[in-house]
Amino acid sequence: MAESRHSLFRQFAPGDWHGFLKGVEKEGLRVDRNGFIAQTPHPEALGSALTHPRITTDYSEALLELITPVFDSTGGMLTSLRDIHTFVQQNLGDEVFWPASMPCELDGDPSIPIANYGRSNIGRLKHVYRQGLAVRYGRMMQSIAGAHYNLSLPDSFWQKWQALVGNGQTLKDFKSDQYFWLIRNFRRRSWLLMLLFGASPALDASFVAGVKHDLSRFSDNTWVGANATSLRMGDLGYHNNAQASLNICFNELSTYTQTLDRAIHTTWPAYEAIGTRRGDDFIQINTSVLQIENEYYSAVRPKRTTEREEKPIQALDARGVEYIEVRCLDLDPFSPVGVNEAQIDFLDLFLLDCLLSDSPRIGDAECERLDDNYKDVVARGRDQTLTLCRAGERVAVGEAARGILDQLAPLAELLDSWQGGDTYATALAVQQGKLSGQEPVPSARVLDAMAASGLGHREWGLEMARQHQQALRAEDLGADLEAAFHAMARESIAEQARMEAADTLPFDGFLAQYLRS
């Protein structure tokens, strides 16, 4: 019988293990003093959203996205994320940074300004793509925020791991195959993350104005999912009908990029009816099922850093998978930076175990079952009677969750023994406490906090935003770091100006060239 991958991993010497490489992208809305989505332009003090390496915008001009560099420690990454937040908070004027995944008060699509990236062709392409999202899906669901966690393992790990498993591929192809091995198990287990970290059980009534739903009334301006963990990831959050027709394959890199590429080059009748222009203005990049790869929403993505004007699937095909992006994380509204230390350390443990556990290819039948598990936990994960499908049997959600956490304990012990301390045992114990009742899961904690305060989602979110802002504005970045942030902002504005000056091709010609590439 072949030696298990966990047994092979134990053959690493402590000196062979160099840990994880990690980074985070954290979104959040700028909100005015009354709790309404900001109508102001991206603050000039924060630089150019097109070219700034740390501070950009996502869909909306009001939806900030803060990006850390890559770190080899959770502490370093969280310090960087906090520093970026502190600089942002110090430059928001009388606005605040919304702490929750589900948005503040809105007033329909017109209240959500689409992000502006200037006059360069690349900037205009980003804006037209967002216009396309608006005409396809509406703007409301694009106002939702989350945290994306990026993880990779260093080449020193992959070289040792390849020798242990006896693989003869190129290192590029081996890494890609192994990252997809991890992704397959992530898809089998991602429901657990929604139970442990889902933190959006409530939403503002303005988000569902005129929309049919089955939520329960919490207050005059708040609706809740009775047992929901994440309304962000449910039917009212990220979804669309055209993508339901896709069968994106996560079994290997070649089929993943091929099925994505086909979606980008397959027209969709409803989008053809809209067309690409309204008068002289472009309103979507094309009429395909997907305008670009990033339009496809999934809980996890294989990623490769792109060169300027390079498409994601081109980068993946050319240089292979570089890291994994976990995209299903709700913001932690109790944290000033939207994520927390025990969560990050647990994700490292969880993702490593996805790599080390057996991971057969996912067929159509299993794909449907694992999607059902995920949707069920999102919609009613706090329902103690909920059962999930595990190995062909129905198992109570709590039992299934405890089974995975118990499986992680030996790995946590091993990693702690290699690097000293109890980092992973502690992170695991925090999650086990949520299942044992020592503390509520985040979605229950949010509802408990709202009930205790007597506030609806709008008022509670605004109060938490003010608390976080007060705490971060009281912190001192230090003269050197503050100067570095200001310099980064100035340079990003200058870089955008250089890009705009360098463009000679009219936008319609640039777009035609982009679509041919």
Side-chain angles (χ1 to χ4, degrees):
M1 183 176 177
E3 194 168 5
S4 77
R5 289 164 68 94
H6 275 279
S7 297
L8 290 173
F9 183 66
R10 288 181 174 276
Q11 294 180 30
F12 273 67
D16 293 333
W17 173 248
H18 302 295
F20 306 93
L21 299 173
K22 60 190 77 176
V24 69
E25 303 159 23
K26 189 265 188 176
E27 302 161 350
L29 285 169
R30 287 185 295 114
V31 173
D32 71 20
R33 67 179 72 186
N34 298 314
F36 192 82
I37 184 171
Q39 301 297 297
T40 51
H42 185 66
E44 186 175 359
L46 302 184
S48 164
L50 178 65
T51 56
H52 199 296
R54 302 286 169 258
I55 305 168
T56 184
T57 51
D58 192 80
Y59 175 80
S60 173
E61 188 76 355
L63 186 54
L64 291 171
E65 182 176 345
L66 312 186
I67 306 166
T68 71
V70 177
F71 286 89
D72 61 5
S73 71
T74 299
M77 187 196 78
L78 289 177
T79 297
S80 173
L81 184 62
R82 194 174 185 95
D83 288 343
I84 301 168
H85 273 80
T86 299
F87 181 76
V88 167
Q89 291 279 21
Q90 291 174 353
N91 288 279
L92 285 186
D94 62 358
E95 294 175 349
V96 294
F97 201 10
W98 192 249
S101 280
M102 297 309 288
C104 58
E105 184 184 3
L106 307 170
D107 188 14
D109 277 6
S111 69
I112 303 168
I114 298 176
N116 182 6
Y117 298 98
R119 296 179 289 102
S120 71
N121 282 330
I122 287 291
R124 290 185 65 187
L125 181 71
K126 289 169 73 73
H127 184 76
V128 171
Y129 165 61
R130 286 158 175 76
Q131 290 278 13
L133 297 178
V135 298
R136 291 172 176 219
Y137 319 121
R139 300 185 191 185
M140 298 293 278
M141 80 180 213
Q142 311 299 335
S143 65
I144 297 170
H148 299 166
Y149 182 58
N150 301 319
L151 177 130
S152 64
L153 291 155
D155 277 352
S156 59
F157 166 83
W158 291 118
Q159 290 159 356
K160 175 75 172 178
W161 184 238
Q162 186 173 23
L164 285 172
V165 300
N167 180 277
Q169 294 174 285
T170 64
L171 187 61
K172 180 195 86 169
D173 290 342
F174 175 71
K175 286 167 60 177
S176 292
D177 283 354
Q178 293 296 294
Y179 277 125
F180 271 87
W181 182 293
L182 183 161
I183 285 171
R184 291 194 296 272
N185 276 335
F186 178 92
R187 296 191 67 221
R188 292 180 172 104
R189 304 173 180 180
S190 55
W191 61 265
L192 177 64
L193 302 185
M194 305 320 300
L195 179 65
L196 296 176
F197 305 121
S200 56
L203 51 75
D204 193 87
S206 62
F207 187 80
V208 289
V211 175
K212 186 177 180 181
H213 60 78
D214 58 0
L215 302 176
S216 302
R217 175 75 74 177
F218 180 88
S219 69
D220 287 348
N221 62 16
T222 300
W223 293 94
V224 300
N227 287 298
T229 60
S230 176
L231 297 180
R232 166 179 172 260
M233 299 304 299
D235 290 341
L236 293 170
Y238 295 121
H239 70 283
N240 63 76
N241 294 328
Q243 289 193 21
S245 70
L246 298 177
N247 186 21
I248 303 297
C249 179
F250 282 88
N251 280 325
E252 61 185 31
L253 177 59
S254 60
T255 52
Y256 174 78
T257 57
Q258 285 165 14
T259 49
L260 267 181
D261 187 63
R262 186 164 60 244
I264 294 167
H265 293 94
T266 301
T267 58
W268 186 254
Y271 303 155
E272 285 191 293
I274 295 170
T276 58
R277 292 188 188 229
R278 190 166 289 155
D280 293 333
D281 296 328
F282 283 91
I283 56 170
Q284 55 180 341
I285 292 174
N286 56 38
T287 59
S288 297
V289 176
L290 301 177
Q291 297 175 90
I292 60 175
E293 299 93 325
N294 289 350
E295 188 171 342
Y296 176 65
Y297 193 83
S298 59
V300 63
R301 278 183 189 161
K303 297 293 289 283
R304 162 64 63 174
T305 304
T306 56
E307 307 296 337
R308 183 167 287 175
E309 299 187 27
E310 184 181 37
K311 297 177 180 177
I313 56 175
Q314 292 171 339
L316 283 169
D317 282 336
R319 300 186 296 282
V321 181
E322 180 183 7
Y323 63 95
I324 297 301
E325 180 185 41
V326 176
R327 301 173 53 80
C328 59
L329 301 174
D330 284 351
L331 298 182
D332 174 0
F334 299 98
S335 165
V337 299
V339 295
N340 62 77
E341 184 176 22
Q343 175 187 31
I344 298 300
D345 289 332
F346 176 81
L347 287 169
D348 292 346
L349 182 68
F350 175 86
L351 292 168
L352 180 60
D353 192 72
C354 285
L355 176 68
L356 299 180
S357 299
D358 190 32
S359 184
R361 293 186 170 230
I362 297 173
D364 291 345
E366 185 186 5
C367 186
E368 188 172 331
R369 289 195 301 274
L370 61 87
D371 284 345
D372 287 344
N373 283 347
Y374 185 85
K375 292 174 184 174
D376 285 346
V377 173
V378 161
R380 50 193 190 97
R382 286 181 287 111
D383 180 352
Q384 297 298 308
T385 67
L386 175 65
T387 61
L388 304 179
C389 185
R390 186 181 70 181
E393 297 180 346
R394 303 301 300 185
V395 180
V397 61
E399 180 184 340
R402 284 187 289 274
I404 295 177
L405 296 189
D406 289 348
Q407 179 182 321
L408 296 178
L411 183 58
E413 182 180 355
L414 179 64
L415 294 181
D416 283 339
S417 72
W418 283 351
Q419 65 182 46
D422 59 358
T423 296
Y424 297 102
T426 298
L428 182 59
V430 170
Q431 313 316 320
Q432 289 170 325
K434 296 175 185 177
L435 301 181
S436 67
Q438 292 177 16
E439 63 175 279
V441 293
S443 53
R445 186 182 174 197
V446 167
L447 295 180
D448 290 347
M450 286 170 47
S453 68
L455 301 175
H457 185 262
R458 183 184 307 175
E459 297 83 7
W460 182 77
L462 192 57
E463 176 59 28
M464 294 300 293
R466 288 170 176 154
Q467 288 180 23
H468 295 332
Q469 184 170 78
Q470 185 176 9
L472 290 173
R473 283 184 171 177
E475 296 185 5
D476 182 12
L477 284 173
D480 290 347
L481 184 54
E482 188 165 354
F485 274 121
H486 284 299
M488 216 180 296
R490 288 193 302 272
E491 172 53 29
S492 70
I493 292 170
E495 173 65 11
Q496 178 179 323
R498 288 192 292 269
M499 290 173 63
E500 291 172 349
D503 276 344
T504 57
L505 194 62
F507 181 67
D508 54 357
F510 168 84
L511 182 57
Q513 191 177 82
Y514 175 86
L515 293 172
R516 286 195 300 269
S517 66

